[in-house]
């Protein structure tokens, strides 16, 4: 398979979708991103990497950050985490308060907002400076030492995060948040505000295609069983309320964010990240999803 050729052909197949998606507008910094932006990077385990378009431009990774905070928390507390968070698809909006109420404060999975807040609470309990630890984890995994939080995005998340605040308080009311509510929210708002490029994210997720070993570090950052679990959660809970459709069309474990990024992995082969800010009604990148569908169709390979 000639991946460079595939990448060069790809934009022509999806560019009609760039203007058809809806750009996240709940904060100004996301609303300003031009709809025509499109980038993609595919890193293979043989060491080659293939990119196209705006692959080096940083964007707000938003909910993709939940993969990395979960990885850190799993390493710190192991299976104890699953007493406080489930691992079933939610079938509801990613910030549903109703679901949290009838499940008595135990979030369905770590990728809905309530679950991610519990994961942040674990990091807050375990680490002296969890914001810095999470940022440094991303720096290590991506190999880029200047990765950082976008301060404007973090501030806006805090200013508009009324539902997240309600979720955190509800968790606290059910004794599933052990730290100060504002401290946990501050960590969550900052993790959403991390800015990385497609190439940085593809490198940062390559260990998920390699049984936990990051090729550029030549060391295991997760165990193979941990990777199995994270990939299983991405496949079943990683693309909002459209996981069935995404598995049907793309067939890869993936995590998306409202900034328009999607990270996906084909275990044993590659990690890929695509970015196009226009979103479909479920909150997944419209052109990004189509690009990944094109990739698995042309290569004839998916996890199925
Ligand atoms: N930062 C937003 C929130 O927590 C959206 C995160 C996302 O789903 O990408 O509400």
């Amino acid at each position: 398979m000639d991946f460079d050729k595939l990448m060069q052909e790809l934009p022509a197949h999806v560019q009609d979708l760039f203007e058809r998606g809806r750009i996240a507008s709940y904060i100004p910094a996301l609303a300003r991103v031009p709809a025509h932006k499109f980038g993609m990077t595919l890193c293979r385990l043989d060491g080659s990497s293939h990119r196209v378009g705006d692959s080096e431009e940083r964007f707000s990774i938003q909910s993709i950050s939940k993969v990395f905070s979960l990885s850190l928390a799993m390493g710190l507390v192991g299976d104890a985490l699953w007493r406080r968070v489930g691992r079933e698809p939610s079938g509801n909006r990613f910030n549903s308060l109703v679901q949290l109420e009838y499940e008595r404060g135990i979030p369905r999975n770590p990728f809905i907002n309530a679950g991610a807040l519990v994961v942040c609470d674990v990091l807050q309990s375990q680490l002296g400076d969890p914001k810095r630890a999470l940022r440094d984890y991303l720096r290590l995994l991506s190999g880029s030492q200047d990765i950082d939080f976008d301060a404007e995005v973090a501030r806006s998340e805090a200013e508009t995060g009324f539902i997240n605040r309600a979720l955190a308080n509800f968790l606290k009311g059910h004794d599933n948040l052990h730290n100060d509510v504002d401290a946990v929210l501050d960590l969550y708002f900052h993790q959403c505000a991390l800015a990385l490029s497609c190439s940085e994210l593809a490198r940062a997720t390559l260990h998920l295609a390699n049984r936990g070993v990051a090729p550029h570090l030549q060391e295991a950052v997760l165990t193979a069983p941990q990777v199995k679990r994270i990939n299983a959660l991405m496949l079943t809970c990683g693309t909002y309320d459209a996981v069935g459709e995404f598995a049907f069309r793309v067939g890869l474990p993936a995590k998306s964010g409202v900034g328009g990024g999607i990270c996906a992995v084909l275990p044993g082969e590659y990690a890929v990240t695509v970015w196009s800010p226009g979103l479909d009604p479920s909150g997944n990148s419209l052109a990004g999803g189509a690009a990944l569908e094109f990739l698995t169709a042309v290569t004839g390979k998916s996890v199925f």
Side-chain angles (χ1 to χ4, degrees):
M1 173 56 59
D2 185 341
F3 281 97
D4 280 325
K5 185 159 169 278
L6 186 155
M7 293 297 250
Q8 294 318 314
E9 288 172 3
L10 204 142
H13 288 271
V14 297
Q15 66 194 16
D16 284 355
L17 299 173
F18 294 169
E19 308 286 335
R20 284 206 241 150
R22 188 188 51 82
I23 294 180
S25 58
Y26 68 98
I27 57 173
L30 294 185
R32 283 202 293 273
V33 181
H36 63 262
K37 290 284 177 190
F38 176 82
M40 185 156 160
T41 299
L42 186 145
C43 293
R44 299 176 68 205
L45 290 181
D46 67 7
S48 65
S49 88
H50 312 270
R51 56 194 78 165
V52 69
D54 303 307
S55 60
E56 309 312 304
E57 185 168 328
R58 288 182 175 161
F59 58 91
S60 191
I61 73 169
Q62 292 290 328
S63 272
I64 295 172
S65 62
K66 292 169 183 171
V67 173
F68 302 104
S69 49
L70 173 66
S71 302
L72 257 188
M74 282 171 72
L76 290 165
V77 299
D79 282 345
L81 180 66
W82 308 115
R83 289 200 287 272
R84 298 177 58 189
V85 193
R87 55 246 184 179
E88 291 291 347
S90 73
N92 276 294
R93 271 188 65 75
F94 69 105
N95 58 2
S96 172
L97 201 60
V98 171
Q99 184 168 59
L100 193 58
E101 174 156 29
Y102 63 69
E103 298 189 341
R104 297 178 182 280
I106 304 294
R108 269 284 170 102
N109 69 65
F111 293 155
I112 55 173
N113 285 13
L117 286 164
V118 171
V119 170
C120 283
D121 187 55
V122 168
L123 298 182
Q124 189 74 32
S125 298
Q126 297 290 323
L127 300 165
D129 187 348
K131 272 195 286 193
R132 191 191 173 117
L134 186 59
R135 187 200 63 187
D136 289 352
Y137 189 51
L138 265 298
R139 288 181 174 181
L140 175 79
L141 292 177
S142 68
S144 292
Q145 292 312 309
D146 61 345
I147 279 169
D148 223 330
F149 307 105
D150 180 322
E152 183 197 351
V153 173
R155 197 169 45 248
S156 299
E157 295 284 347
E159 281 165 10
T160 58
F162 303 107
I163 296 177
N164 288 322
R165 229 169 266 286
L167 290 168
N169 278 294
F170 197 85
L171 289 164
K172 185 85 174 170
H174 277 273
D175 208 21
N176 200 9
L177 205 109
H178 303 157
N179 295 281
D180 175 62
V181 169
D182 286 331
V184 175
L185 283 165
D186 184 52
L187 173 58
Y188 176 74
F189 293 143
H190 274 83
Q191 76 165 44
C192 287
L194 281 160
L196 276 81
S197 68
C198 290
S199 291
E200 288 166 339
L201 273 170
R203 221 172 306 124
T205 48
L206 194 52
H207 64 288
L208 297 176
N210 197 33
R211 298 171 60 83
V213 177
H216 69 288
L217 299 171
Q218 296 201 328
E219 68 175 77
V221 285
L222 292 173
T223 65
Q226 286 171 330
V227 167
K228 181 183 91 175
R229 289 171 164 189
I230 291 172
N231 286 347
L233 286 163
M234 292 208 295
L235 185 74
T236 55
C237 313
T239 44
Y240 301 109
D241 202 11
V243 280
E245 180 69 12
F246 199 88
F248 183 87
R249 288 175 45 210
V250 176
L252 298 176
K255 183 73 201 84
S256 56
V258 295
I262 310 177
C263 289
V265 291
L266 181 57
E269 302 260 347
Y270 62 71
V272 61
T273 297
V274 61
W275 172 51
S276 170
L279 308 177
D280 69 16
S282 353
N284 296 304
S285 170
L286 184 64
L292 294 174
E293 185 176 7
F294 181 81
L295 170 70
T296 53
V298 170
T299 56
K301 284 188 179 177
S302 72
V303 293
F304 305 111

